[in-house]
Amino acid sequence: MFPINRFFPFLAVAVSLLAWHDPEPLLDWKSAITPLLTAVMFCMGLTLRWQDFRRIWKKPEPVALGILLQFTLMPLIAWALAWAFNLPDELAIGMILVGACAGGTASNVMTYLAGGDVALSISMTLASTLWGLFLTPWLVWFYARSGITVDSLGMLASIGQMVILPIAAGLFLNQYLPQVRAKLHNHLADIASAIILLIIAIIVSLNADEIATVGTSVLAAVILHNLLGLAGGYAIARWNGHTEVQARTIAIEVGMQNSGLAVALALKFYTPAAALPGALFSVWHNVSGALLAAYFRWQTQKTIKRQAASHQAIKITMEKQE
């Protein structure tokens, strides 16, 4: 089987360019995004155990830090970038909407590919979604002095369908039918990566027109918003004493927003122009997340090889001394 997981970041860039160049074949695939995400979450569930979530429950500090950064760092950065780039009011509101939303399910996927703490990522997504029911409208009012309402039941139903149910199904199989998981184990990362590539291609194709007409200022603002969120989440988590794996997970969770919700809110309460930052963010954060996940995975593999070489050197030294 072709090692899709190994070449994932390059393939993500390639399919994005192809989908943008010729979006027509995938325009009717919008309805497939939810079932495809559900399939990825099921693959992730097969790698988890109930004990992973029990561990998070006993030590909730990383979740608390992730939520704090999610709803302080991201909206503040969005507001500052909108001011720095002197964006028109509609685009500025769109930026603030992205910053005020909770983490999206894409963060769970990228955490999985990065070798992060998937249980922690899922816990943060669920918790930030619940807090977002109250904080997202308030933050939009605070930074933009504009009111919105959030479809609480719709958000919870969406999270339940795309995250909780498939993860629970994977956990169940892993617990009670381990032979199924054993057969799929070596292929799970490649299967998930292939599905994610298709999702990225669909998202790019659906936003091809917006990408073609976007100005450099809003594009730069969206990219910086994501990158500063990723960098800030990682740096603050490490400074706060969290482990490398926890810091990577928090960084991805903080930097990758529920941009789909931001687009929906912008279209409902404002104008199509206000939805542009969210549409661009939904494309960019999948590409940047793929690149960051590959970098984190490469760092992990390099560390493992260095430790193995060190242990081998110690073993040889001890044998010579004997």
Side-chain angles (χ1 to χ4, degrees):
M1 184 175 181
F2 181 77
I4 299 174
N5 183 43
R6 185 182 304 174
F7 299 100
F8 182 78
F10 307 105
L11 293 172
V13 173
V15 300
S16 297
L17 292 174
L18 287 173
W20 177 63
H21 176 71
D22 186 18
E24 191 67 29
L26 293 173
L27 291 179
D28 294 330
W29 285 57
K30 182 178 181 179
S31 59
I33 293 177
T34 296
L36 288 171
L37 273 173
T38 302
V40 175
M41 293 298 167
F42 174 73
C43 291
M44 290 165 51
L46 287 172
T47 69
L48 296 171
R49 301 171 301 164
W50 299 108
Q51 292 89 326
D52 294 325
F53 292 96
R54 194 176 301 123
R55 167 177 52 83
I56 302 299
W57 178 260
K58 290 180 179 178
K59 292 185 177 181
E61 292 84 1
V63 176
L65 178 62
I67 295 171
L68 179 64
L69 294 177
Q70 185 83 62
F71 291 113
T72 56
L73 196 63
M74 292 304 282
L76 178 61
I77 292 174
W79 174 82
L81 288 171
W83 175 81
F85 283 94
N86 195 27
L87 296 180
D89 289 345
E90 291 177 336
L91 293 175
I93 288 176
M95 287 288 299
I96 291 168
L97 272 171
V98 173
C101 285
T105 53
S107 62
N108 308 143
V109 176
M110 297 308 168
T111 297
Y112 169 67
L113 294 176
D117 191 333
V118 176
L120 174 59
S121 177
I122 293 169
S123 299
M124 282 194 287
T125 297
L126 295 176
S128 65
T129 298
L130 291 173
W131 277 101
L133 301 179
F134 311 99
L135 289 178
T136 296
W138 184 82
L139 286 167
V140 173
W141 173 84
F142 180 81
Y143 283 102
R145 290 297 187 269
S146 181
I148 63 167
T149 57
V150 176
D151 182 6
S152 304
L153 293 178
M155 283 180 62
L156 293 176
S158 177
I159 290 292
Q161 178 186 358
M162 289 191 296
V163 178
I164 297 176
L165 289 179
I167 288 289
L171 281 166
F172 180 86
L173 281 179
N174 195 16
Q175 181 76 24
Y176 298 105
L177 295 172
Q179 63 273 19
V180 176
R181 189 254 188 188
K183 290 181 179 179
L184 294 173
H185 177 70
N186 292 332
H187 306 293
L188 282 176
D190 286 327
I191 293 171
S193 298
I195 297 173
I196 297 162
L197 288 173
L198 179 56
I199 294 172
I200 291 174
I202 295 171
I203 292 173
V204 172
S205 67
L206 293 173
N207 295 282
D209 291 339
E210 288 83 355
I211 296 172
T213 59
V214 68
T216 55
S217 59
V218 65
L219 180 61
V222 167
I223 291 175
L224 282 173
H225 188 201
N226 169 246
L227 295 182
L228 290 172
L230 293 170
Y234 178 84
I236 294 173
R238 289 298 281 161
W239 173 78
N240 200 47
H242 288 81
T243 67
E244 176 69 20
V245 172
Q246 289 173 334
R248 293 176 180 183
T249 305
I250 291 171
I252 293 172
E253 186 67 27
V254 171
M256 299 188 69
Q257 301 292 87
N258 188 348
S259 50
L261 174 63
V263 170
L265 293 174
L267 291 175
K268 181 176 180 180
F269 293 99
Y270 303 106
T271 64
L276 185 58
L280 292 174
F281 199 99
S282 68
V283 174
W284 167 252
H285 80 165
N286 279 290
V287 176
S288 67
L291 295 172
L292 183 62
Y295 173 75
F296 280 153
R297 192 170 60 250
W298 173 74
Q299 286 285 86
T300 299
Q301 292 170 349
K302 188 172 71 170
T303 301
I304 292 172
K305 289 180 180 178
R306 186 168 60 246
Q307 291 174 345
S310 177
H311 290 159
Q312 183 66 21
I314 293 172
K315 182 180 178 181
I316 293 173
T317 301
M318 291 178 66
E319 289 176 349
K320 288 181 178 180
Q321 291 176 349
E322 293 175 356

